Amino acid sequence: MASAAEALPLTPFRNEYQARRYCPDDVVVWLDFRKEIYYFKRQKRYSQGSAGSFVCEREARASGFRRSLLGIR
């Protein structure tokens, strides 16, 4: 059975700059594929971990990922 995160394609990027160029009218978030959670830049776990990528927030939400409420600075 496919998870909600596999429902729509994402455009993941290795660095934040590439993601900002791809989605200039959206917020860039760090997506943790294992936990199916995304983090904002002000959060402690932003850009940490090997199982993640930078993506546009709209794409992450549309693909079924949820935002993390932990670690907001």
Side-chain angles (χ1 to χ4, degrees):
M1 181 176 180
S3 71
E6 296 173 309
L8 295 173
L10 289 168
T11 308
F13 295 94
R14 296 184 134 243
N15 65 56
E16 186 177 1
Y17 175 74
Q18 292 172 328
R20 277 188 286 154
R21 288 192 62 188
Y22 176 76
C23 50
D25 298 330
D26 197 4
V27 176
V28 173
V29 296
W30 176 256
L31 183 60
D32 184 326
F33 291 107
R34 287 186 188 146
K35 295 179 182 177
E36 297 185 359
I37 293 176
Y38 62 88
Y39 301 94
F40 293 101
K41 191 168 189 166
R42 66 186 181 272
Q43 293 179 291
K44 186 176 181 179
R45 294 185 181 159
Y46 183 82
S47 78
Q48 294 184 0
S50 61
S53 289
F54 294 100
V55 298
C56 304
E57 182 186 11
R58 284 187 208 123
E59 287 185 7
R61 290 179 64 191
S63 296
F65 291 94
R66 63 192 193 284
R67 69 183 179 125
S68 172
L69 299 176
L70 302 175
I72 296 177
R73 294 182 186 182

